[in-house]
Amino acid sequence: MPSVAVPRSSQASRALRRSQSTRMTATKFECAAQAHLLAQKRRIPLATKYDVNTNVVPACTKLSLPRTLPRPVLGEVDTSSLVGAYPDLAGIPAEYIRDRLNLTTPKMRAAIQAVETSVSKSTLPTELNILMNEVVSFACPTHMFAVYNDAPLPLGHKRQVNLFPIHDLVFGLQCTNLPTLPAARPSSSPSHTTVPVVPLRLPSPETFSLLHAYLYTKQPATLLASLARPCETDMLQLAAHANKILGLWRNACLLGVVDAQLYDVIGASWDSAIAAMQACS
């Protein structure tokens, strides 16, 4: 068969089309690879776990969070343990005492915020001296909580313990699972008073300050504001925030806090955090 000569212009046109097709195919593969990589990066934070003790989110473990935080069955506190120190409370319903106590708790909170004390960093004492001043003496704390958890520690590290001055009435009337508190001694000096130190093991020591403040203030709006999710859309930040809410819920459940509004706030904050994480993933 005789050969047919193809004009040079047609050859150039075909070569150009083949080149364009090759570039388009390469571009598609490149875009697909980038999209796959980006999707992997977006999924990576979902496969992490927030370490509440070190504030580090290791990338090799899996984050497992419940979609909802179940509301515990709210019982009622047994005031018999308080009657020894407060005989006038015998036979009075706990709910009524709590309502009356709300009139005094602002001054109690002012007193615990004004507490000054010192403690050795090497050992935890059984008692602590609290310096008396005008604010503290008006509503002096009865005990000192030494809050900690029992998570394993690296070799050579000391367990961190946080001290919180408290009033036995505030916690005894709102927590069904509070450990037995030793008897508080009345102050024998105008300059200081001695209070028992009560070790309190909790799953989330770092969030106890939120619960501590709420039990004194009983202001759901303030707690809700402190649990507002961050504006960032970074999954690690959202996971850390969700872990904060989870820690507060675990502490409240362990202590048996009998406050429905507390769990309303925790539930609403949790739903918002989970929705943000789902939108980010």
Side-chain angles (χ1 to χ4, degrees), residues 131-145:
L131 301 178
M132 300 294 281
N133 56 47
E134 184 177 353
V135 178
V136 174
S137 61
F138 188 86
C140 186
T142 60
H143 297 77
M144 187 76 71
F145 276 163

PDB file of all heavy atoms in Angstrom, residues 131-145:
ATOM      1  N   LEU A 131      -4.425  30.830 107.716  1.00  0.00           N
ATOM      2  CA  LEU A 131      -4.297  32.143 108.345  1.00  0.00           C
ATOM      3  C   LEU A 131      -5.656  32.823 108.378  1.00  0.00           C
ATOM      4  O   LEU A 131      -6.386  32.828 107.384  1.00  0.00           O
ATOM      5  CB  LEU A 131      -3.294  33.003 107.587  1.00  0.00           C
ATOM      6  CG  LEU A 131      -1.867  32.437 107.488  1.00  0.00           C
ATOM      7  CD1 LEU A 131      -0.985  33.379 106.670  1.00  0.00           C
ATOM      8  CD2 LEU A 131      -1.269  32.235 108.877  1.00  0.00           C
ATOM      9  N   MET A 132      -5.985  33.398 109.501  1.00  0.00           N
ATOM     10  CA  MET A 132      -7.279  34.045 109.670  1.00  0.00           C
ATOM     11  C   MET A 132      -7.189  35.513 109.276  1.00  0.00           C
ATOM     12  O   MET A 132      -6.209  36.202 109.568  1.00  0.00           O
ATOM     13  CB  MET A 132      -7.746  33.923 111.113  1.00  0.00           C
ATOM     14  CG  MET A 132      -7.919  32.491 111.586  1.00  0.00           C
ATOM     15  SD  MET A 132      -9.245  31.628 110.730  1.00  0.00           S
ATOM     16  CE  MET A 132     -10.664  32.296 111.598  1.00  0.00           C
ATOM     17  N   ASN A 133      -8.196  35.979 108.593  1.00  0.00           N
ATOM     18  CA  ASN A 133      -8.365  37.401 108.338  1.00  0.00           C
ATOM     19  C   ASN A 133      -9.862  37.697 108.405  1.00  0.00           C
ATOM     20  O   ASN A 133     -10.662  36.805 108.687  1.00  0.00           O
ATOM     21  CB  ASN A 133      -7.756  37.817 106.991  1.00  0.00           C
ATOM     22  CG  ASN A 133      -8.331  37.010 105.834  1.00  0.00           C
ATOM     23  OD1 ASN A 133      -9.546  36.834 105.715  1.00  0.00           O
ATOM     24  ND2 ASN A 133      -7.444  36.507 104.967  1.00  0.00           N
ATOM     25  N   GLU A 134     -10.238  38.933 108.153  1.00  0.00           N
ATOM     26  CA  GLU A 134     -11.640  39.304 108.329  1.00  0.00           C
ATOM     27  C   GLU A 134     -12.561  38.507 107.407  1.00  0.00           C
ATOM     28  O   GLU A 134     -13.656  38.099 107.815  1.00  0.00           O
ATOM     29  CB  GLU A 134     -11.805  40.807 108.069  1.00  0.00           C
ATOM     30  CG  GLU A 134     -13.213  41.315 108.325  1.00  0.00           C
ATOM     31  CD  GLU A 134     -13.340  42.805 108.132  1.00  0.00           C
ATOM     32  OE1 GLU A 134     -12.300  43.470 107.927  1.00  0.00           O
ATOM     33  OE2 GLU A 134     -14.464  43.329 108.187  1.00  0.00           O
ATOM     34  N   VAL A 135     -12.136  38.265 106.173  1.00  0.00           N
ATOM     35  CA  VAL A 135     -12.984  37.546 105.221  1.00  0.00           C
ATOM     36  C   VAL A 135     -13.065  36.073 105.585  1.00  0.00           C
ATOM     37  O   VAL A 135     -14.148  35.471 105.598  1.00  0.00           O
ATOM     38  CB  VAL A 135     -12.451  37.719 103.782  1.00  0.00           C
ATOM     39  CG1 VAL A 135     -13.304  36.937 102.794  1.00  0.00           C
ATOM     40  CG2 VAL A 135     -12.421  39.192 103.412  1.00  0.00           C
ATOM     41  N   VAL A 136     -11.925  35.459 105.892  1.00  0.00           N
ATOM     42  CA  VAL A 136     -11.894  34.031 106.207  1.00  0.00           C
ATOM     43  C   VAL A 136     -12.638  33.743 107.505  1.00  0.00           C
ATOM     44  O   VAL A 136     -13.386  32.763 107.601  1.00  0.00           O
ATOM     45  CB  VAL A 136     -10.438  33.536 106.295  1.00  0.00           C
ATOM     46  CG1 VAL A 136     -10.397  32.081 106.773  1.00  0.00           C
ATOM     47  CG2 VAL A 136      -9.751  33.662 104.945  1.00  0.00           C
ATOM     48  N   SER A 137     -12.453  34.572 108.501  1.00  0.00           N
ATOM     49  CA  SER A 137     -13.049  34.305 109.805  1.00  0.00           C
ATOM     50  C   SER A 137     -14.576  34.352 109.758  1.00  0.00           C
ATOM     51  O   SER A 137     -15.243  33.729 110.589  1.00  0.00           O
ATOM     52  CB  SER A 137     -12.533  35.314 110.840  1.00  0.00           C
ATOM     53  OG  SER A 137     -12.882  36.641 110.461  1.00  0.00           O
ATOM     54  N   PHE A 138     -15.147  35.057 108.798  1.00  0.00           N
ATOM     55  CA  PHE A 138     -16.608  35.151 108.715  1.00  0.00           C
ATOM     56  C   PHE A 138     -17.222  33.813 108.302  1.00  0.00           C
ATOM     57  O   PHE A 138     -18.321  33.467 108.752  1.00  0.00           O
ATOM     58  CB  PHE A 138     -17.018  36.236 107.719  1.00  0.00           C
ATOM     59  CG  PHE A 138     -18.495  36.510 107.731  1.00  0.00           C
ATOM     60  CD1 PHE A 138     -19.048  37.400 108.633  1.00  0.00           C
ATOM     61  CD2 PHE A 138     -19.349  35.862 106.842  1.00  0.00           C
ATOM     62  CE1 PHE A 138     -20.415  37.640 108.658  1.00  0.00           C
ATOM     63  CE2 PHE A 138     -20.708  36.087 106.859  1.00  0.00           C
ATOM     64  CZ  PHE A 138     -21.247  36.980 107.770  1.00  0.00           C
ATOM     65  N   ALA A 139     -16.523  33.056 107.449  1.00  0.00           N
ATOM     66  CA  ALA A 139     -17.035  31.752 106.997  1.00  0.00           C
ATOM     67  C   ALA A 139     -15.850  30.829 106.746  1.00  0.00           C
ATOM     68  O   ALA A 139     -15.567  30.445 105.621  1.00  0.00           O
ATOM     69  CB  ALA A 139     -17.881  31.899 105.743  1.00  0.00           C
ATOM     70  N   CYS A 140     -15.180  30.481 107.808  1.00  0.00           N
ATOM     71  CA  CYS A 140     -13.928  29.728 107.692  1.00  0.00           C
ATOM     72  C   CYS A 140     -14.162  28.339 107.106  1.00  0.00           C
ATOM     73  O   CYS A 140     -15.104  27.635 107.499  1.00  0.00           O
ATOM     74  CB  CYS A 140     -13.287  29.606 109.070  1.00  0.00           C
ATOM     75  SG  CYS A 140     -11.658  28.843 109.013  1.00  0.00           S
ATOM     76  N   PRO A 141     -13.334  27.897 106.166  1.00  0.00           N
ATOM     77  CA  PRO A 141     -13.457  26.534 105.638  1.00  0.00           C
ATOM     78  C   PRO A 141     -13.286  25.499 106.737  1.00  0.00           C
ATOM     79  O   PRO A 141     -12.615  25.748 107.749  1.00  0.00           O
ATOM     80  CB  PRO A 141     -12.322  26.447 104.612  1.00  0.00           C
ATOM     81  CG  PRO A 141     -11.997  27.857 104.268  1.00  0.00           C
ATOM     82  CD  PRO A 141     -12.262  28.661 105.493  1.00  0.00           C
ATOM     83  N   THR A 142     -13.885  24.343 106.546  1.00  0.00           N
ATOM     84  CA  THR A 142     -13.812  23.281 107.545  1.00  0.00           C
ATOM     85  C   THR A 142     -12.797  22.207 107.179  1.00  0.00           C
ATOM     86  O   THR A 142     -12.301  21.499 108.076  1.00  0.00           O
ATOM     87  CB  THR A 142     -15.183  22.609 107.716  1.00  0.00           C
ATOM     88  OG1 THR A 142     -15.594  22.054 106.453  1.00  0.00           O
ATOM     89  CG2 THR A 142     -16.221  23.628 108.177  1.00  0.00           C
ATOM     90  N   HIS A 143     -12.507  22.049 105.888  1.00  0.00           N
ATOM     91  CA  HIS A 143     -11.602  21.002 105.431  1.00  0.00           C
ATOM     92  C   HIS A 143     -10.800  21.487 104.228  1.00  0.00           C
ATOM     93  O   HIS A 143     -11.145  22.515 103.613  1.00  0.00           O
ATOM     94  CB  HIS A 143     -12.362  19.725 105.036  1.00  0.00           C
ATOM     95  CG  HIS A 143     -13.107  19.094 106.173  1.00  0.00           C
ATOM     96  ND1 HIS A 143     -14.312  19.592 106.634  1.00  0.00           N
ATOM     97  CD2 HIS A 143     -12.824  18.002 106.932  1.00  0.00           C
ATOM     98  CE1 HIS A 143     -14.741  18.834 107.647  1.00  0.00           C
ATOM     99  NE2 HIS A 143     -13.868  17.873 107.834  1.00  0.00           N
ATOM    100  N   MET A 144      -9.773  20.715 103.920  1.00  0.00           N
ATOM    101  CA  MET A 144      -8.981  20.965 102.716  1.00  0.00           C
ATOM    102  C   MET A 144      -8.951  19.689 101.883  1.00  0.00           C
ATOM    103  O   MET A 144      -8.484  18.643 102.348  1.00  0.00           O
ATOM    104  CB  MET A 144      -7.552  21.363 103.102  1.00  0.00           C
ATOM    105  CG  MET A 144      -6.685  21.803 101.926  1.00  0.00           C
ATOM    106  SD  MET A 144      -7.070  23.469 101.328  1.00  0.00           S
ATOM    107  CE  MET A 144      -6.439  24.468 102.687  1.00  0.00           C
ATOM    108  N   PHE A 145      -9.492  19.752 100.666  1.00  0.00           N
ATOM    109  CA  PHE A 145      -9.424  18.610  99.761  1.00  0.00           C
ATOM    110  C   PHE A 145      -8.057  18.583  99.092  1.00  0.00           C
ATOM    111  O   PHE A 145      -7.592  19.608  98.573  1.00  0.00           O
ATOM    112  CB  PHE A 145     -10.504  18.688  98.683  1.00  0.00           C
ATOM    113  CG  PHE A 145     -11.844  18.163  99.113  1.00  0.00           C
ATOM    114  CD1 PHE A 145     -12.990  18.487  98.385  1.00  0.00           C
ATOM    115  CD2 PHE A 145     -11.980  17.342 100.216  1.00  0.00           C
ATOM    116  CE1 PHE A 145     -14.234  18.002  98.759  1.00  0.00           C
ATOM    117  CE2 PHE A 145     -13.219  16.861 100.601  1.00  0.00           C
ATOM    118  CZ  PHE A 145     -14.341  17.180  99.873  1.00  0.00           C
TER     119      PHE A 145
END
